[in-house]
């Protein structure tokens, strides 16, 4: 055993690196190493011999393992010393610049769709987020018994006793902006109305506050064909897919007649949504020809003018384009979430006064 001890302790001391050290360990105390083979011979010894040889072998094994650990630490220290001698770091240098702010997905998508519709001649119109129920409902041909006017669906502003002003609500859509803009500008008109809206709903695809963009075009010779062209041009530009297929399904909205839900072509592959391919369809917005009552509410003569309107959720189309699975993540996530989906600090001026990609 003294020979084994001298042999392996010498080899350990001379080992140049951890790879050589591991080879020595396997040869000495591995399952088929010399010390292990010696231990197998204990069964052939007399009890008296085992009492002497057993503890000696265990002590030898422990000593070799301790020597290996000590040598490994020594090699690590030597490697660190070498790095410290050859490498250097000037801690007085400024850190690498990294932008901390970022355009939020909702703001970025608003920028994108604003630019797309601007190329088709649409300007941006804005209005108050708190509006009267006349602008939010009555002017849009939504009757008093309509479910959307119930307090379980709409946020009504608190009113003090004796307050005789018209009821006010957190707007449930940006359609009131259409009425206000018609009152202000008249016809012809071509606008989009992006902004925040509020409804009493909360789940994976709904939040109490979300963002919507509505479009309105009024002229003397305008039809559903114009509506279809505008939407198909938008989808192709926004999703960056040429010739994306659309499907118009007859529907009902109080403020348009005829009305249509609009679907876009899609498919699901390995749990991933793919826009613009396959045989599936996904509903993305509602649309139709503006109801005469709505035109009259905005001070536009429906016997002379006609128009189309559409509305879609900005948050929802952002989810579709960037693969974001849960709408609620827009409002409770941090910069790491934004970077994961590709929303980093951007470099060109935007309508929001910050930077854009």
């Amino acid at each position: 055993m003294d020979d084994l001890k001298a042999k392996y302790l010498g080899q350990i001391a001379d080992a140049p690196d951890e790879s050589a050290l591991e080879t020595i360990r396997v040869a000495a105390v591995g399952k088929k190493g010399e010390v292990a083979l010696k231990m197998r011979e204990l069964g052939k010894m007399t009890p008296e011999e085992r009492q002497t040889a057993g503890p000696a072998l265990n002590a030898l094994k422990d000593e070799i393992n301790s020597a290996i650990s000590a040598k490994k630490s020594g090699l690590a220290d030597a490697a660190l010393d070498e790095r410290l001698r050859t490498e250097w770091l000037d801690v007085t240098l400024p850190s690498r610049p990294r932008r901390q702010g970022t355009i939020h997905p909702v703001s970025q998508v608003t920028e994108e769709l604003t630019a797309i519709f601007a190329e088709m001649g649409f300007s941006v119109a804005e209005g108050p987020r708190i509006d009267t129920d006349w602008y939010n409902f009555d002017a849009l041909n939504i009757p008093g018994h309509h479910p959307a006017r119930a307090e379980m669906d709409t946020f009504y502003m608190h009113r003090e006793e004796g307050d005789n002003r018209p009821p006010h609500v957190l707007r449930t859509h940006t359609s009131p902006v259409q009425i206000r803009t018609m009152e202000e500008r008249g016809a012809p008109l071509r606008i989009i109305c992006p902004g925040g809206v509020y409804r009493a709903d909360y789940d994976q695809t709904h939040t109490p506050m979300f963002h919507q963009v509505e479009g309105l075009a009024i002229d003397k010779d305008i039809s559903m064909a114009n509506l279809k062209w505008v939407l198909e041009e938008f989808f192709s530009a926004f999703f960056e897919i040429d010739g994306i297929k659309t499907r118009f399904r007859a529907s009902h909205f109080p403020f348009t007649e005829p009305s249509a839900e609009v679907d876009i072509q899609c498919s699901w592959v390995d749990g991933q949504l793919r826009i613009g391919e396959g045989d599936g369809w996904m509903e993305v917005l509602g649309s139709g020809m503006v109801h005469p009552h709505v035109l009259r509410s905005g001070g536009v003569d429906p016997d002379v003018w006609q128009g189309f309107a559409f509305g879609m959720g900005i948050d929802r189309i952002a989810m579709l384009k960037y693969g974001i699975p849960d709408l609620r993540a827009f409002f409770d996530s941090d910069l790491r979430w934004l970077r994961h989906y590709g929303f980093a600090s951007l470099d060109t001026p935007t309508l929001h006064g910050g930077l854009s990609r």
Side-chain angles (χ1 to χ4, degrees), residues 251-263:
S251 186
H252 169 73
F253 304 112
F255 27 79
T256 53
E257 180 61 39
S259 304
E261 303 277 7
V262 182
D263 306 331

Side-chain angles (χ1 to χ4, degrees), residues 155-174:
F155 294 104
Y156 283 84
M157 305 303 294
H158 174 72
R159 307 186 58 188
E160 297 289 348
E161 186 176 351
D163 186 346
N164 296 319
R165 292 177 300 168
H168 282 66
V169 300
L170 293 179
R171 66 183 183 188
T172 60
H173 42 195
T174 56

Side-chain angles (χ1 to χ4, degrees), residues 97-103 108 111 342-351 353-357:
R98 181 173 183 177
R99 299 184 189 276
Q100 295 301 309
T102 180
I103 291 291
Q108 181 168 319
E111 301 287 348
F343 296 96
S345 297
L346 309 175
D347 301 322
T348 58
T350 75
L351 296 176
L355 296 174
S356 181
R357 183 162 61 190

